[in-house]
Amino acid sequence: APAVHWRCPLLPTVAGSAGLACGAAGMLLAGRIITVVTWNVGTAMPPNDVTSLLHLNTGETNDVDMIAIGLQEVNSKINKRLKDALFTDQWSELFMDVLSPFHFILVSTVRMQGVILLVFAKYYHLPFLQDIQTDCTRTGLGGYWGNKGGVSVRLSIFGHMVCFLNCHLPAHLEKAEQRKEDFATILHMQQFEGPVANGILDHDLVFWFGDLNFRIESLDICFVKYAIDSNVLSQLWEKDQLNIAKSTWPVLRGFQEGPLNFPPTFKFDVGTNKYDSSAKKRKPAWTDRILWKIKPPSKGWGTGGHRPSQGVLSVSQLCYCSHMEYTVSDHKPVAAIFAVQFASKVDKPQVEIYVADEWSRPEQAVVRYKMAVGFHRSSWDWIGLYRVGFRHPKDYVSYVWARSVSGLQVMFSEEALPKGNGEYILGYYSNTSSSIAGVTEPFQISLPRSEEGSSSTDSSGSSSEEDDSTLVLLAPKSRSPSPGKMKRHRSRSPSLAKFQGLILRPSSRDRGTSRSPSPQSRKELGQAPESLEGSSFYQTVEEQGGLRRVSADSPLARADPRNLGLLPALRLEMIDQALGRRWESADQGYYPCRKMSPTSLPGCGTSPKEGRNPQELDRHSCAMGH
């Protein structure tokens, strides 16, 4: 039998920094490179090429470990929003397509109408990214509309709590005080679960970016354009509202920003590099910004009796620039590259996966794994087989449930293995943390194609990959197959819309008081299906109201994760008023469910036609949501 061993990928380090030591004692982490991008896209369609924006054509990408992308004003008209709710939006598709060949995986994403935040990381960092949560706060129309506000992704990176916050604040020169109030509201409203870092400013490191809409005071437009044309931008800095606010607003104390050595990024005539030539002739301004804040090291014990993160973080900004080559919007995108030094010690991955160097025969497809002490496994954990270049944790070729029936070992069936030659990796998906807890290095699979089914296998394989990446929603709440408790994402909408044929179910937090700045009472939308109990498998079969409890041996218990919990929550913004009163009859409760197919979601208002293959079922499965 071939040698079986644990594959520990060597993580890249910043040039000139200390090396990396892999061993039982843990991992000494050196600097990590994090790129942050912000862009108000002005409801435009994505451009054909974003490689220069992401610095993919400069050779720097080999050193970049994570990329956070904040977008504002993504087209969120009702018809477009409904399409994006059922499929991945075009901007997210573009960035996943561009970044996946460079081994970046979508870690988490959150959307609030036109405000989107995407966080990517190299695949070998995934086991060290834990406690991933998202949040959003609406501040438009007094807290009832999500055209303005903030969305965030927080996570533990190598043992340090880091938060990415993408904001779109009120526009116009005279609204500086409103921008201050909205930012304070966002900081106050966004709260996360867990013993540490409940608020945004509780995190060890915060990246704050977006269309912050700060303008240039006092100076007239002629002088501003003269300073830009003469490249004497420093004469504009002291009149920049954000620079003024950093020294006068307590809420901004500690936030840092690099020098504004690039021209103001707003407002341009679309399709050109000319500043606004319309009748309004808006004054150029640095509306699009990227800032960061490091939490001062605390002494002693933190809140809840937990020790604070050990070691001191240091951040160096390597680049802060705009990209004039993009003309699809009236804003220019802005990018910043940071070197973050994590001076701490992190244990090995929570799950170590042992696999042979090559699978050339079906009987070699054996996977052994070892869990760290204290790892909270679930009966809904699974191990996915991914083709090198996969885009997100649901983009797997096949999977097996990680059930410890005869020790910590599983085996892929011959039918589940891809035929032909290729490079693959294995990832252990933890339902408890909703993240990948262990990965392998790439290994080879070289299995002969059957003469009869080679063509059909090829076509179905490519179709499956396309379906996985384009038809599966990528909400941050996506979980393992359990359709039960979902707590990672909380919408701040005061009310939720309901549509015929789509059943929207509130999360446990959404049934409580709204966390919008202007809360109002809401109607209960009905009770979600009962959570799975015990080992997450029912022992009896029972039909009530179209819902079915199934035994552990039923097809549902062996269903594809994509057809169950990995279909994310469907979150639609407040459009009840926009559609008028014709939906009032639907507001009295949920539509009755039809009889489930083995691969349909509990609670779906429609069921796939019988006789479809799994790929077709994916297209017809309707999403659970809140």
Side-chain angles (χ1 to χ4, degrees):
V4 179
H5 58 280
W6 173 52
R7 295 176 167 270
C8 174
L10 294 179
L11 311 184
T13 59
V14 178
S17 61
L20 187 76
C22 287
M27 188 173 295
L28 181 62
L29 296 175
R32 300 296 168 204
I33 301 295
I34 299 177
T35 297
V36 178
V37 174
T38 179
W39 192 2
N40 184 320
V41 300
T43 71
M45 295 288 291
N48 295 326
D49 185 15
V50 291
T51 53
S52 63
L53 173 60
L54 301 173
H55 295 256
L56 299 179
N57 52 0
T58 62
E60 300 169 351
T61 311
N62 292 332
D63 296 326
V64 175
D65 299 284
M66 298 186 68
I67 297 178
I69 302 169
L71 304 175
Q72 307 87 38
E73 290 194 22
V74 175
N75 190 342
S76 58
K77 292 182 179 179
I78 291 178
N79 58 340
K80 188 70 169 62
R81 189 70 182 95
L82 285 173
K83 181 180 178 182
D84 289 347
L86 298 175
F87 306 95
T88 310
D89 69 273
Q90 291 174 301
W91 284 94
S92 299
E93 284 283 330
L94 170 68
F95 287 114
M96 284 190 292
D97 287 340
V98 170
L99 287 171
S100 60
F102 295 91
H103 306 299
F104 283 99
I105 310 304
L106 182 63
V107 176
S108 183
T109 180
V110 57
R111 177 172 186 174
M112 181 183 68
Q113 284 183 212
V115 184
I116 297 179
L117 175 58
L118 305 112
V119 176
F120 293 86
K122 292 286 181 65
Y123 78 87
Y124 40 74
H125 291 317
L126 295 181
F128 303 99
L129 309 180
Q130 299 296 321
D131 196 12
I132 303 170
Q133 299 182 41
T134 66
D135 208 346
C136 62
T137 302
R138 298 168 177 80
T139 59
L141 295 180
Y144 290 100
W145 196 243
N147 63 322
K148 296 292 191 294
V151 297
S152 62
V153 172
R154 87 76 166 283
L155 67 166
S156 170
I157 302 177
F158 304 114
H160 291 263
M161 301 306 298
V162 179
C163 182
F164 297 94
L165 174 62
N166 173 27
C167 289
H168 192 186
L169 300 182
H172 305 304
L173 177 68
E174 67 278 7
K175 293 292 183 67
E177 196 66 24
Q178 184 64 49
R179 287 187 276 276
K180 169 188 173 182
E181 293 177 4
D182 282 10
F183 182 54
T185 296
I186 292 169
L187 294 180
H188 174 72
M189 298 297 299
Q190 299 212 359
Q191 297 291 318
F192 303 97
E193 300 172 0
V196 294
N198 300 115
I200 289 177
L201 297 183
D202 296 331
H203 290 73
D204 299 319
L205 176 60
V206 177
F207 290 103
W208 174 41
F209 49 97
D211 181 1
L212 307 184
N213 257 320
F214 289 97
R215 307 303 172 97
I216 296 175
E217 291 185 345
S218 304
L219 304 176
D220 62 41
I221 186 172
C222 294
F223 182 83
V224 172
K225 287 188 174 181
Y226 165 78
I228 296 171
D229 295 338
S230 303
N231 197 27
V232 286
L233 300 174
S234 58
Q235 297 187 23
L236 308 178
W237 293 348
E238 64 180 13
K239 297 299 183 181
D240 174 74
Q241 288 181 333
L242 182 53
N243 283 337
I244 297 172
K246 280 186 288 187
S247 60
T248 58
W249 292 359
V251 71
L252 295 182
R253 187 176 295 118
F255 278 96
Q256 304 177 61
E257 184 182 20
L260 299 169
N261 290 326
F262 51 89
T265 55
F266 175 84
K267 175 182 179 17
F268 290 87
D269 293 338
V270 175
T272 73
N273 286 327
K274 289 178 53 181
Y275 285 104
D276 186 18
S277 63
S278 69
K280 293 184 178 180
K281 285 190 168 27
R282 294 178 180 86
K283 191 193 315 184
W286 286 288
T287 57
D288 310 280
R289 312 288 278 270
I290 300 172
L291 298 89
W292 74 95
K293 180 177 181 178
I294 301 173
K295 181 182 178 182
S298 56
K299 298 179 181 180
W301 293 86
T303 58
H306 292 268
R307 285 190 183 277
S309 298
Q310 300 299 312
V312 178
L313 276 171
S314 64
V315 177
S316 300
Q317 190 175 63
L318 307 179
C319 171
Y320 192 27
C321 62
S322 64
H323 287 265
M324 297 290 288
E325 65 271 25
Y326 295 98
T327 61
V328 299
S329 169
D330 56 354
H331 290 250
K332 299 299 181 183
V334 175
I337 302 177
F338 300 91
V340 183
Q341 195 77 17
F342 294 98
S344 63
K345 205 171 186 180
V346 174
D347 292 335
K348 291 187 297 185
Q350 292 180 302
V351 177
E352 301 170 14
I353 305 175
Y354 301 81
V355 63
D357 288 327
E358 181 180 5
W359 292 354
S360 57
R361 301 187 308 274
E363 56 268 23
Q364 292 177 315
V366 177
V367 182
R368 298 182 179 90
Y369 53 97
K370 178 182 177 182
M371 299 177 180
V373 176
F375 175 72
H376 299 290
R377 70 173 300 275
S378 165
S379 57
W380 290 100
D381 291 355
W382 47 275
I383 296 175
L385 177 65
Y386 300 91
R387 188 184 299 275
V388 169
F390 70 105
R391 310 192 318 166
H392 52 84
K394 290 160 283 186
D395 195 13
Y396 53 80
V397 176
S398 60
Y399 72 96
V400 291
W401 296 106
R403 297 182 186 137
S404 304
V405 178
S406 57
L408 301 180
Q409 174 177 311
V410 294
M411 183 173 183
F412 283 84
S413 65
E414 183 175 358
E415 294 76 14
L417 295 175
K419 304 303 185 290
N421 299 320
E423 274 196 319
Y424 297 83
I425 72 168
L426 291 168
Y428 184 105
Y429 188 90
S430 167
N431 176 64
T432 303
S433 63
S434 298
S435 62
I436 291 181
V439 296
T440 68
E441 282 187 336
F443 64 97
Q444 288 287 330
I445 294 182
S446 53
L447 297 175
R449 305 176 187 271
S450 60
E451 295 182 2
E452 304 172 348
S454 60
S455 59
S456 61
T457 302
D458 290 345
S459 61
S460 64
S462 61
S463 171
S464 175
E465 288 181 16
E466 180 181 358
D467 289 346
D468 295 349
S469 61
T470 59
L471 296 185
V472 178
L473 286 169
L474 302 176
K477 270 193 77 140
S478 298
R479 296 177 68 84
S480 60
S482 171
K485 57 184 180 181
M486 291 184 175
K487 300 180 180 178
R488 292 282 171 183
H489 187 90
R490 288 101 61 198
S491 171
R492 300 305 191 212
S493 174
S495 63
L496 295 170
K498 291 172 285 296
F499 290 86
Q500 188 169 4
L502 293 177
I503 299 177
L504 310 182
R505 303 189 187 282
S507 67
S508 57
R509 285 186 173 269
D510 277 333
R511 298 191 191 106
T513 305
S514 168
R515 303 183 70 91
S516 295
S518 300
Q520 72 174 32
S521 61
R522 71 180 70 199
K523 296 179 181 179
E524 283 292 338
L525 296 182
Q527 298 299 321
E530 183 181 352
S531 306
L532 295 181
E533 303 166 351
S535 64
S536 301
F537 294 98
Y538 291 114
Q539 301 303 316
T540 61
V541 176
E542 181 180 333
E543 299 251 357
Q544 286 185 344
L547 296 178
R548 178 188 299 176
R549 294 183 174 185
V550 296
S551 69
D553 297 327
S554 73
L556 179 58
R558 302 186 297 273
D560 190 319
R562 278 186 292 259
N563 293 336
L564 292 172
L566 281 182
L567 279 173
L570 175 63
R571 297 194 304 110
L572 302 179
E573 306 300 337
M574 291 179 54
I575 54 181
D576 302 69
Q577 295 89 345
L579 291 179
R581 297 180 173 274
R582 54 179 171 163
W583 299 108
E584 286 185 356
S585 60
D587 289 341
Q588 303 304 317
Y590 293 120
Y591 291 91
C593 295
R594 300 179 187 175
K595 186 175 180 180
M596 289 173 50
S597 69
T599 53
S600 65
L601 277 167
C604 285
T606 58
S607 60
K609 296 179 180 179
E610 296 182 1
R612 295 188 182 272
N613 59 38
Q615 288 76 23
E616 290 174 322
L617 287 171
D618 277 352
R619 300 190 187 98
H620 291 80
S621 299
C622 67
M624 281 182 63
H626 64 284

